[in-house]
């Protein structure tokens, strides 16, 4: 098991668990939950939920001993994800018992919001019986401040109303969402970046020129709900990576039982590789039903949108955008036959695109476009699974 995965055995005492948090950023707490015996149907979530949030249908948790951290999860699982589940009528999830040898990969978002920077904090993850509320097993995870955190680390702060700009001169190295790396910092260099809100859109600008737009088609807009967060990373010598997070945690937003109601809790994000030489977004990614999906931009500015429902995204994935998950040979889809992290391939593409002459854009291709990333394409090799789309991240 890779070092970034924390083991949570249900049938024996867990070992020491630690996650180095990224100040003013969001990291993935990645748990492999396993059992050697028959285990009842269980859900899992952090133990510390504020009574006011519970009463007001706001779905998030905190570290046990610090409100400087918000712990969230996705998929609309209000009481927390099932450790093992089965679909009922293809629409509802029902938790079911685990068998000896079963394991589940579970992900939580650990977001540091301050205002303080604790040296350590603890978040306790509980596997519990939803009907009785009884805790079956618990795992304390220590959140550790980076040993060499620079006081001048780059943050995107609001420089004026609806305008965010980087401040600081040390940049965090790129940290993939699903495959966390060590937290480290390097010299930032020049960062002529701004993110500007324009009604229901975010305009990403480099040296005053628009390089990407994110349009929010959800109603009401997440931009009005304090649910947006920005992070900037050093990707390689040619690129910085902008990550834009969107968090839906308030079940009251949108109203109604189905119509207009947002999926809560949930999180979406876009990563964009911005070429320093000219601000052109060369590659970008988002997530589609437990797969990280990358594409190469074919024009500028990059266009991205929010607003597809879970059901619509699944339909697109299954019926219309199958090439994003695998290539096809006849009527058979070719899947990854192992755990596949596309980052090594993306790093090679980023070097190729970064070395291009400033101002050069790729000719538009003919491959299917990614959902919510509109003017992008993928590179495919005939008869092989896609190299720019991960395997199901729950596999490891």
């Amino acid at each position: 098991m890779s070092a970034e995965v924390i083991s949570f055995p249900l049938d024996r005492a867990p070992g020491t668990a630690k996650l180095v948090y990224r100040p003013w950023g969001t990291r993935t707490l990645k748990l492999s939950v396993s059992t050697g015996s028959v285990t009842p149907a269980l859900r899992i979530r952090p133990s510390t939920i504020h009574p006011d949030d519970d009463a007001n249908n706001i779905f998030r948790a905190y570290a046990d001993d610090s409100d400087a951290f918000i712990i969230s999860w996705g998929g609309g699982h209000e009481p927390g994800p099932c450790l093992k589940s089965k679909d009922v009528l293809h629409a509802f999830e029902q938790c079911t018992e685990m068998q000896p040898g079963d394991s589940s990969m579970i992900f939580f978002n650990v977001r540091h919001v301050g205002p303080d920077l604790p040296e350590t904090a603890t978040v306790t993850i509980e596997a519990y019986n939803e009907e009785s509320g009884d805790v079956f097993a618990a795992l304390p995870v220590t959140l550790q401040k980076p040993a060499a955190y620079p006081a001048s680390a780059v943050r995107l702060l609001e420089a004026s109303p609806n305008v965010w700009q980087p401040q600081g001169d040390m940049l965090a190295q790129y940290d993939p969402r699903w495959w966390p790396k060590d937290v480290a910092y390097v010299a930032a260099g020049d960062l002529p970046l701004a993110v500007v809100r324009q009604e229901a859109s975010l305009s990403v600008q480099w040296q005053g020129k628009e390089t990407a737009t994110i349009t929010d088609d959800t109603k009401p807009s997440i931009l009005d709900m304090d649910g947006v967060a920005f992070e900037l990373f050093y990707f390689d010598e040619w690129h910085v990576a902008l990550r834009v997070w969107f968090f839906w945690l308030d079940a009251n937003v949108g109203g109604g039982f189905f119509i207009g109601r947002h999926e809560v809790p949930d999180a979406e994000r876009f990563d964009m590789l911005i070429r320093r030489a000219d601000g052109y977004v060369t590659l970008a990614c988002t997530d589609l039903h437990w797969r990280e999906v990358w594409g190469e931009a074919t024009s500028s500015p990059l266009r991205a949108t929010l607003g597809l429902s879970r059901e619509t995204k699944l339909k697109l994935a299954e019926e219309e955008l199958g090439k994003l998950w695998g290539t096809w040979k006849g009527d058979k889809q070719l899947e990854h036959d192992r755990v596949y992290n596309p980052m090594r391939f993306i790093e090679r593409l980023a070097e190729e695109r970064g070395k291009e002459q400033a101002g050069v854009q790729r000719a538009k291709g003919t491959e299917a476009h990614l959902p919510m990333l509109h003017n992008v394409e993928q590179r495919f090799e005939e008869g092989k699974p896609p190299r720019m789309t991960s395997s199901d991240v729950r596999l490891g």
Side-chain angles (χ1 to χ4, degrees), residues 168-184:
D169 59 16
M170 296 295 290
L171 200 55
Q173 290 190 326
Y174 184 74
D175 185 23
R177 178 183 183 184
W178 303 108
W179 304 276
K181 293 184 176 181
D182 293 338
V183 177

Side-chain angles (χ1 to χ4, degrees), residues 17-193:
K18 181 182 77 171
L19 176 72
V20 176
Y21 73 88
R22 188 168 55 251
W24 316 110
T26 301
R27 300 210 73 204
T28 298
L29 176 59
K30 186 174 181 180
L31 303 175
S32 176
V33 186
S34 61
T35 182
S37 58
V38 176
T39 302
L42 299 171
R43 289 189 181 270
I44 185 169
R45 68 180 179 189
S47 63
T48 304
I49 295 174
H50 287 183
D52 286 350
D53 282 351
D54 195 34
N56 292 310
N57 291 321
I58 297 175
F59 294 92
R60 62 188 172 192
Y62 297 84
D64 302 352
D65 47 2
S66 174
D67 285 354
F69 302 92
I70 293 177
I71 321 299
S72 63
W73 55 96
H77 305 304
E78 295 177 354
C82 293
L83 286 182
K84 185 176 181 180
S85 64
K86 61 181 179 180
D87 289 333
V88 179
L89 301 177
H90 303 286
F92 302 98
E93 181 186 68
Q94 180 176 312
C95 299
T96 186
E97 66 182 18
M98 296 178 72
Q99 300 299 318
D102 280 352
S103 64
S104 294
M105 197 70 73
I106 303 292
F107 303 89
F108 292 101
N109 309 309
V110 178
R111 181 184 174 193
H112 174 252
V113 296
D116 55 325
L117 283 166
E119 289 296 327
T120 62
T122 300
V123 56
T124 300
I125 306 296
E126 294 180 339
Y128 74 101
N129 185 302
E130 185 179 9
E131 292 184 2
S132 68
D134 293 339
V135 174
F136 186 87
L139 173 71
V141 179
T142 298
L143 305 180
Q144 175 75 52
K145 180 182 174 182
Y149 176 68
S152 58
V154 171
R155 298 171 58 191
L156 262 71
L157 300 175
E158 198 166 13
S160 58
N162 293 320
V163 178
W164 293 264
Q165 292 180 302
Q167 297 183 24
D169 59 16
M170 296 295 290
L171 200 55
Q173 290 190 326
Y174 184 74
D175 185 23
R177 178 183 183 184
W178 303 108
W179 304 276
K181 293 184 176 181
D182 293 338
V183 177
Y185 296 84
V186 298
D190 191 27
L191 298 173
L193 174 75

Side-chain angles (χ1 to χ4, degrees), residues 192-194 203-212 274 278-280 300-301 359 361:
L193 174 75
S203 171
V204 180
Q205 301 176 4
W206 187 265
Q207 294 181 329
K209 180 181 178 181
E210 186 170 78
T211 187
I274 302 173
D278 56 2
Y280 181 67
S300 185
Q361 301 180 11

Side-chain angles (χ1 to χ4, degrees), residues 238-239 273-280 282 353-354 356 359-360:
W238 303 280
H239 297 90
L273 303 194
I274 302 173
R275 192 162 57 196
R276 287 180 182 264
D278 56 2
Y280 181 67
T282 58
R353 302 301 308 277
E356 289 175 343
V360 170

Side-chain angles (χ1 to χ4, degrees), residues 292-296 298 323-326 362 366-370 376-380 386-390:
E292 179 172 280
V293 188
W294 285 84
E296 290 184 89
T298 59
K323 286 187 103 175
L324 299 179
W325 289 12
R362 282 178 55 84
T366 58
E367 300 295 348
H369 289 177
L370 307 185
V376 298
E377 67 179 13
Q378 289 197 322
R379 296 191 190 187
F380 289 97
R387 302 185 72 183
M388 298 177 71
T389 299
S390 75

